[in-house]
Amino acid sequence: MKEVFDVQLFRENSETAVGILEKHLSDQSVRGLELVDPAVLSRAARALMTTEHERVADFDGAKLAGILDLYVRTGIAVHSPGSMGRQFSGVVPLAGVVEFVSSVVNQPSSFYEAAQLPNVAEQIMAEELNRFIGWPAGRFEMLTTSGGSLANLTALLAARNKAFPDFWAEGGPGAAGDGRPAIAVGEDVHYSVSRAAGVLGIGEAQIVRLPLNEERQICPVRAETALAAAERRGLRVFCVVASAGSTSVGAFDPLDELADLAHRRGAWLHVDGAHGASLLVSDRLRAKLRGIAKADSLTWDAHKMMFVPAPCTLLFYREREHSLGAFRQQASYVFDEEPDPYTALDSGDRTFECTKRPMIMALWTLWSVYGRALFADKIEQLCRATALAYEVLLEQPDFEVLHRPEANILCFRHRPAGLSDPGPADERELHRLQVAIRNRVKQNGTFFISKVDIDGTAALRVVLMNHETTTEHFRMLLHEIRHAAQDIRTTARGNR
């Protein structure tokens, strides 16, 4: 068994991995997602497994190379200009190096004694990023957690416990006069918020849907009317959830007005900025989040627009004591009875994770080595590229653009001749066509795009996450969409 831990073997294995990754990163060809039949992939994976079960098998370098090659080849090509489908980012390569070190040294970061530098780095990054949020120094708190869904759930838990202090221990809303706990959200809110309502015992029936304007942002005036109607129905909205870069179209809700509205009604404002909070680091784009300093909590995914490996989510609270309200438990085996300067940095009592990866290290290292400009420059370039793609779409008579992009997400539909007149039958056919186009483009393997339903009808959706993606690549995508639509409609006519 000792040879498994041999340092020289470690070096050789690392060199194998670096060689495969270097080739992967050097490939700038336009490619999307090559889907492999799961049964075929399973057979390929099983063929790489040892058949030795009685003793530790001899190391086989070719087997390792095969495993790593299969792993790299069967994933989304996030570093390719053709990958436009999701909010997954090709990482800054140095961030991958840091993650490699983190995996080997294995320092769970929920407690300072287990991961000293990650906990200090977390505090440093909190201070660095708060310069763009604007909360008073010494009063706010930032924690890392594994993904935006978990961050949203944790923030809603803190908000619920603040509004209903007995809920944690006794369940239910407490006194009869408190009203039924409710959350108010925009129509385009991320599904994790609806899921959180179920997890928290609030129930989807107590989710108040706030109307959107033409830009698919929450409309504050109509939202006030909706909140008043909810109160008359016996609901107590304890939290309003706003989006800063909605998943569907990348819309930024008016945070300034919504914060005032929420606080007038005694509610907490949580901002789901998983995608768009990163715009704060850009002087040119920061105004999209005007009013963020009035929010009570903020979710910020660094693994999206800060280009580090997933997961790396930052959960901010405007008031530090609010971070202590999410969980109310004692566990003698992890929580110290007598706090000291070391345990003051522990986060295990404020996050779901008892064991947590030191996810801050990749972000802090990039920030330390390259500074803010690395992130600001790339984000601004992605937003410029998306704005140019929007202009290209406006020139295409057979495409319908659905919104002016606020960041790097753009949704549109292909409307070939014969589908230009709106009507129920045409809308159904238009919906089916967009879904079929997306699937055909994905199967072709040159581009990877996604789809989203907008007002009940499917739309094609691109997310520009790669600074190598140009307007020419986008024009190539439109050509492929047209070709796919022509094939789909020709086949459909032939089957009638």
Side-chain angles (χ1 to χ4, degrees), residues 9 12 16 72 75 84 117 149 159 163 172 185 189 202 207 216 263 278 280 288 299 350 406 416 472-473 480:
L9 181 61
E12 293 170 4
T16 297
V72 170
M84 308 180 195
L117 182 58
S149 296
V185 304
V189 72
I202 293 165
I207 296 178
R216 304 199 72 81
H263 296 156
S278 297
L280 285 168
K288 296 281 185 185
T299 291
R350 289 165 289 162
E406 293 197 65
E472 184 56 35
H473 291 124
E480 179 150 332

Coordinates of all heavy atoms in Angstrom, one line a residue, residues 9 12 16 72 75 84 117 149 159 163 172 185 189 202 207 216 263 278 280 288 299 350 406 416 472-473 480:
L9 N 5.7 9.0 -7.5 CA 4.5 8.6 -8.3 C 3.5 9.7 -8.4 O 2.9 10.0 -9.5 CB 3.8 7.4 -7.7 CG 2.6 6.8 -8.4 CD1 3.0 6.4 -9.8 CD2 2.0 5.7 -7.6
E12 N 4.7 12.0 -11.1 CA 4.5 11.4 -12.5 C 3.0 11.5 -12.8 O 2.7 11.9 -14.0 CB 5.0 10.0 -12.5 CG 6.5 9.8 -12.4 CD 6.9 8.4 -12.2 OE1 6.0 7.5 -12.2 OE2 8.1 8.1 -12.0
T16 N 1.2 13.7 -15.9 CA 0.3 13.1 -16.8 C -1.0 14.0 -17.0 O -1.5 14.3 -18.0 CB -0.2 11.7 -16.4 OG1 1.0 10.9 -16.4 CG2 -1.3 11.2 -17.3
V72 N -12.0 14.4 -19.4 CA -11.9 15.7 -20.1 C -12.8 15.7 -21.4 O -13.5 16.7 -21.7 CB -10.5 16.0 -20.4 CG1 -10.4 17.2 -21.3 CG2 -9.7 16.3 -19.1
G75 N -17.0 16.2 -21.1 CA -17.6 17.3 -20.4 C -17.9 18.4 -21.3 O -17.6 18.4 -22.5
M84 N -21.9 28.2 -25.3 CA -22.7 29.4 -24.9 C -24.0 29.0 -24.2 O -24.9 29.8 -24.1 CB -23.1 30.2 -26.2 CG -22.0 30.5 -27.1 SD -22.7 31.5 -28.6 CE -21.3 31.4 -29.7
L117 N -5.2 29.6 6.8 CA -5.1 30.6 5.7 C -6.5 30.7 5.0 O -6.9 31.9 4.7 CB -4.0 30.2 4.7 CG -3.8 31.2 3.6 CD1 -3.5 32.6 4.1 CD2 -2.7 30.8 2.6
S149 N -27.8 27.9 -4.5 CA -29.0 27.4 -3.9 C -28.9 27.3 -2.4 O -29.8 27.6 -1.7 CB -29.3 26.0 -4.5 OG -29.6 26.1 -5.9
A159 N -33.6 35.0 7.6 CA -34.7 36.0 7.6 C -36.0 35.4 8.3 O -36.6 36.2 9.0 CB -35.0 36.3 6.1
A163 N -37.8 37.0 11.8 CA -39.3 37.4 11.8 C -40.1 36.5 12.7 O -41.1 37.0 13.3 CB -39.8 37.3 10.4
G172 N -43.9 25.9 12.9 CA -45.1 26.8 12.7 C -44.8 28.2 12.8 O -43.7 28.6 13.3
V185 N -41.4 37.0 -4.4 CA -40.4 36.9 -5.4 C -40.9 37.4 -6.7 O -42.1 37.5 -7.0 CB -40.0 35.4 -5.5 CG1 -39.5 34.8 -4.2 CG2 -41.1 34.5 -6.1
V189 N -37.8 34.4 -10.7 CA -36.9 34.0 -9.6 C -36.3 32.6 -9.9 O -37.0 31.7 -10.5 CB -37.6 34.1 -8.3 CG1 -38.6 32.9 -8.1 CG2 -36.6 34.1 -7.1
I202 N -42.5 26.5 4.6 CA -43.4 27.6 4.3 C -44.4 27.2 3.3 O -45.6 27.5 3.4 CB -42.5 28.8 3.8 CG1 -41.7 29.3 5.0 CG2 -43.4 29.9 3.3 CD1 -40.6 30.3 4.5
I207 N -45.8 31.5 -1.5 CA -44.9 32.4 -2.3 C -45.8 33.4 -3.0 O -46.7 33.1 -3.8 CB -44.1 31.5 -3.3 CG1 -43.2 30.5 -2.5 CG2 -43.3 32.4 -4.2 CD1 -42.5 29.6 -3.4
R216 N -38.6 42.6 -17.7 CA -38.6 41.4 -16.9 C -37.9 41.6 -15.6 O -37.3 40.8 -15.0 CB -38.0 40.2 -17.6 CG -38.7 39.9 -18.9 CD -38.5 38.5 -19.4 NE -39.3 37.5 -18.6 CZ -40.6 37.2 -18.7 NH1 -41.3 37.8 -19.6 NH2 -41.1 36.3 -18.0
H263 N -38.5 47.3 3.4 CA -38.3 47.8 4.8 C -39.5 48.5 5.3 O -39.8 48.5 6.5 CB -37.0 48.6 4.8 CG -35.8 47.8 4.5 ND1 -34.6 48.4 4.0 CD2 -35.5 46.5 4.6 CE1 -33.7 47.4 3.8 NE2 -34.3 46.2 4.2
S278 N -21.2 39.9 -9.6 CA -19.8 40.1 -10.0 C -19.7 41.5 -10.8 O -18.6 42.0 -10.9 CB -19.3 39.0 -10.9 OG -19.3 37.8 -10.1
L280 N -20.4 44.2 -9.8 CA -19.9 45.2 -8.8 C -18.5 45.5 -8.9 O -18.1 46.7 -8.6 CB -20.2 44.6 -7.4 CG -21.7 44.6 -6.9 CD1 -21.8 43.8 -5.6 CD2 -22.2 46.1 -6.7
K288 N -25.7 48.8 -12.2 CA -26.7 47.8 -12.4 C -27.3 47.4 -11.1 O -28.4 46.9 -10.9 CB -26.2 46.6 -13.2 CG -25.8 46.9 -14.6 CD -27.0 47.0 -15.5 CE -26.5 47.1 -17.0 NZ -27.7 47.4 -17.9
T299 N -26.4 36.9 -2.2 CA -25.8 35.6 -2.8 C -24.9 36.0 -4.0 O -25.4 36.7 -4.9 CB -26.8 34.6 -3.2 OG1 -27.5 34.1 -2.0 CG2 -26.2 33.4 -3.9
R350 N -22.7 28.7 11.2 CA -23.4 29.7 10.4 C -23.7 29.2 9.0 O -24.3 29.9 8.2 CB -22.7 31.0 10.4 CG -22.8 31.8 11.7 CD -21.8 32.9 11.7 NE -20.4 32.4 11.8 CZ -19.3 33.2 11.5 NH1 -19.5 34.4 11.1 NH2 -18.1 32.6 11.6
E406 N -28.9 43.0 -20.3 CA -28.3 43.9 -19.3 C -26.9 43.4 -18.9 O -26.1 44.2 -18.3 CB -29.2 43.9 -18.0 CG -30.5 44.5 -18.2 CD -31.2 44.8 -16.9 OE1 -30.6 45.7 -16.2 OE2 -32.2 44.2 -16.6
P416 N -38.9 31.6 -38.8 CA -38.7 31.5 -40.3 C -40.0 31.9 -41.0 O -41.1 32.1 -40.3 CB -38.4 30.0 -40.5 CG -39.0 29.3 -39.3 CD -38.8 30.3 -38.2
E472 N -18.4 37.0 -34.9 CA -18.3 36.0 -36.0 C -18.8 34.6 -35.6 O -19.5 33.9 -36.3 CB -16.9 35.9 -36.6 CG -16.8 35.0 -37.8 CD -17.8 35.4 -38.9 OE1 -18.0 36.6 -39.1 OE2 -18.3 34.5 -39.6
H473 N -18.4 34.2 -34.4 CA -18.9 33.0 -33.8 C -20.4 33.0 -33.7 O -21.1 32.0 -33.9 CB -18.3 32.7 -32.5 CG -16.8 32.4 -32.5 ND1 -15.9 33.1 -31.8 CD2 -16.1 31.5 -33.2 CE1 -14.7 32.6 -32.1 NE2 -14.8 31.6 -32.9
E480 N -26.2 28.1 -38.2 CA -26.5 26.7 -37.8 C -28.0 26.6 -37.4 O -28.6 25.6 -37.7 CB -25.6 26.2 -36.7 CG -25.8 24.8 -36.3 CD -24.6 24.1 -35.8 OE1 -23.5 24.4 -36.3 OE2 -24.8 23.2 -35.0

